[in-house]
Amino acid sequence: MKILKVFMLLLMCIVTSNSASASDFVWGPYRGMSTGVGISEKDVIDFSKTGGNLLRVGFSQQPLMSKDDPYGFNEAAFSKLNQIVSWCRKYHVKVIIDPHTTPGTQRTTTTLPNDVLWQDTKYHDLLNTLWARIAKDYANNNDVIVGYDLLNEPSGKLLSLQTGAANYNQLAKRLIKTIRTYDSETPIIIEPPVGRDASGNWVNRLEGVNFLPVLEDSRIIVSPHMYEPRAFTHQGVKNFETGIQYPGVIDGKYWDKDALRRALQPVRDWQIKNHAVVYIGEFSASSASGEGGTRYLRDLIDLFEEYGWSWSYHAWRSAPVWDAERISADQVQAQITPNAKTETRLELLKEVFTRNIPVAN
């Protein structure tokens, strides 16, 4: 009997040890929003008053590195980043640095499969130089900076057959190695790619986790973006039609909370298998989605919370069509003064933000 007890005690120690080693890296929980370089100190103050504890700061409007030859650093953008970091430190808001757009990409909001970034490794060199600068400048600032987001929304043509400049995993590993040369502590955020597999099947940003490399670094965060189904979340944006309801049939499929759970399942499975830290860096529904959009967001947030994922809503005072403070698409189209009223969407976010641990002033 004593031998059995000793055996059970040893077994418990082994299990506890393995569990601890798999989950030593604790990050968050963070509940916040993404934002842009154009925010002011007042915007940071107002955000802190919502109860959000994280801003993912993107530089789509003012790139940190010029996208044109000779591809120099944009010192004005770095100066603004310094300001934002200082404001966030002052008002107890954490920061993720997200360059968002880089040399070799056509758009400022995402990458495309035919970007020259995926055709010529000189653009990998430029991105590597940018991250070396960021890591050198912002190392030892972990009281406020809690993540480096390597590349916003990577894409590929055939994910299983990428070689050379098209190999996103190779690029990610290189960037991680460079960052760690200068900064051993700041967590690094890697986003799953979107594209087609070897059979030509479409792989969305949630399913893309299965095409990520095995990474040795213990302080890695995996960060899918969630805009499924796009016909609903993007209605009123560019050429997307409006009037689509949630819950309801969207593109021939019924979407409700159960459907959202199924859409997120690849990430959940990957998280459990790899003991991963997951952060949904962007999710939203356009202002044209109305009250259905608010129901959609509530269902998504419920699932994020159930799975223990950190998240940031897109966006805080940087893109009117996604702004949680807007009431309707009519306001956006009429260019009514932003932030004049509060809609139920912001109230939803503020309600969930109460779960964040308050920071004493």
Side-chain angles (χ1 to χ4, degrees):
M1 190 68 176
K2 287 183 179 180
I3 294 175
L4 179 59
K5 286 183 178 179
V6 170
F7 174 77
M8 292 301 293
L9 182 60
L10 287 172
L11 181 61
M12 289 176 64
C13 290
I14 292 170
V15 171
T16 303
S17 174
N18 287 341
S19 299
S21 64
S23 58
D24 280 347
F25 175 44
V26 177
W27 190 80
Y30 295 114
R31 303 175 180 91
M33 301 195 206
S34 61
T35 191
V37 65
I39 60 169
S40 66
E41 182 174 11
K42 183 180 184 301
D43 293 329
V44 175
I45 294 170
D46 290 347
F47 174 76
S48 71
K49 290 178 179 177
T50 69
N53 62 4
L54 174 72
L55 283 174
R56 174 177 176 260
V57 182
F59 285 77
S60 61
Q61 298 168 319
Q62 192 178 13
L64 289 166
M65 175 179 273
S66 173
K67 296 176 69 171
D68 299 314
D69 196 3
Y71 309 109
F73 293 126
N74 184 343
E75 296 301 338
F78 272 97
S79 178
K80 185 59 185 287
L81 176 55
N82 287 336
Q83 271 193 325
I84 293 171
V85 169
S86 177
W87 295 334
C88 287
R89 177 180 280 115
K90 182 177 180 180
Y91 301 109
H92 309 293
V93 174
K94 303 301 185 184
V95 172
I96 287 172
I97 297 177
D98 161 34
H100 214 77
T101 190
T102 63
T105 59
Q106 301 168 56
R107 296 184 181 174
T108 60
T109 55
T110 192
T111 70
L112 299 173
N114 62 344
D115 281 338
V116 291
L117 174 66
W118 310 118
Q119 300 169 26
D120 189 336
T121 56
K122 85 170 185 178
Y123 296 102
H124 293 204
D125 297 341
L126 291 166
L127 184 55
N128 193 63
T129 300
L130 175 59
W131 274 114
R133 163 75 184 268
I134 294 171
K136 283 188 283 188
D137 283 5
Y138 295 102
N140 304 313
N141 281 273
N142 297 127
D143 61 314
V144 59
I145 297 174
V146 296
Y148 295 144
D149 197 336
L150 290 182
L151 181 64
N152 183 64
E153 298 185 347
S155 56
K157 292 182 179 179
L158 289 174
L159 298 176
S160 300
L161 302 176
Q162 293 177 335
T163 58
N167 191 324
Y168 168 60
N169 289 349
Q170 181 175 304
L171 171 61
K173 289 180 178 180
R174 179 184 178 187
L175 298 178
I176 291 168
K177 182 178 180 180
T178 295
I179 289 170
R180 288 297 180 237
T181 301
Y182 305 100
D183 183 342
S184 62
E185 294 297 320
T186 304
I188 295 173
I189 296 168
I190 181 170
E191 298 186 26
V194 65
R196 297 191 180 278
D197 64 17
S199 300
N201 300 310
W202 180 251
V203 176
N204 66 31
R205 299 199 182 281
L206 304 170
E207 299 161 339
V209 293
N210 294 310
F211 291 85
L212 289 175
V214 176
L215 299 169
E216 299 301 323
D217 195 296
S218 62
R219 301 175 69 79
I220 294 292
I221 298 154
V222 175
S223 181
H225 291 181
M226 173 56 177
Y227 288 104
E228 302 295 329
R230 289 178 66 85
F232 175 77
T233 61
H234 279 61
Q235 56 187 306
V237 179
K238 295 185 178 179
N239 298 321
F240 284 85
E241 296 181 2
T242 59
I244 301 171
Q245 302 300 312
Y246 174 90
V249 176
I250 305 168
D251 285 340
K253 175 182 174 181
Y254 187 79
W255 283 88
D256 58 6
K257 189 174 183 179
D258 288 338
L260 294 178
R261 184 185 294 277
R262 289 191 292 272
L264 295 171
Q265 195 62 45
V267 182
R268 179 60 172 161
D269 292 342
W270 198 89
Q271 173 196 18
I272 293 170
K273 177 182 177 181
N274 295 282
H275 307 284
V277 177
V278 173
Y279 158 61
I280 304 297
E282 288 185 24
F283 70 104
S284 197
S286 72
S287 55
S289 65
E291 289 303 305
T294 304
R295 289 193 294 271
Y296 168 87
L297 294 171
R298 181 178 289 279
D299 286 348
L300 269 185
I301 291 172
D302 283 349
L303 293 169
F304 300 163
E305 294 289 310
E306 178 184 336
Y307 298 150
W309 298 349
S310 293
W311 48 267
S312 53
Y313 170 85
H314 184 72
W316 177 251
R317 296 186 182 176
S318 62
V321 72
W322 306 109
D323 197 328
E325 294 175 301
R326 301 284 183 145
I327 293 177
S328 67
D330 292 337
Q331 276 196 313
V332 176
Q333 293 165 0
Q335 295 185 338
I336 293 176
T337 303
N339 317 321
K341 297 181 180 178
T342 302
E343 71 160 342
T344 55
R345 187 167 300 184
L346 182 58
E347 292 303 311
L348 165 63
L349 294 171
K350 289 166 68 175
E351 172 192 327
V352 184
F353 287 161
T354 61
R355 300 173 192 172
N356 288 330
I357 299 173
V359 179
N361 292 322

